[in-house]
Amino acid sequence: MPAYEEVSEERQLPSRKPKAPVAGLTDEVAITTTIPTPLRRKLTLALAIHEVKLKDAVAQAIEAWVEKHPPRL
């Protein structure tokens, strides 16, 4: 499978700036989702123990998932 950068430009998703920048940053976008309450409690505890910010943990989880499930173009 070719890397995203190797796909012809007309087959790539258009790039666009986020509609509402988060705290004035243009390289981040806000996302919203729901998770089960017990998972949220485990996550909150793990974040506190490991001194990790929620946004960093979410970014790492998404990156890992996308790496395992690359987009098929």
Side-chain angles (χ1 to χ4, degrees), residues 16-34:
R16 59 182 178 201
K17 294 183 180 180
K19 293 180 182 178
V22 176
L25 301 174
T26 57
D27 61 338
E28 294 182 351
V29 295
I31 60 170
T32 303
T33 189
T34 58

Side-chain angles (χ1 to χ4, degrees), residues 40 42-61:
R40 173 60 188 206
K42 289 179 187 178
L43 176 61
T44 301
L45 180 59
L47 291 172
I49 290 170
H50 296 284
E51 298 179 349
V52 175
K53 292 181 180 179
L54 176 60
K55 72 176 195 170
D56 295 333
V58 169
Q60 290 174 9

Side-chain angles (χ1 to χ4, degrees), residues 1 60-72:
M1 178 185 319
Q60 290 174 9
I62 292 172
E63 286 176 5
W65 190 91
V66 170
E67 191 172 303
K68 286 184 177 182
H69 304 86
R72 295 192 176 130

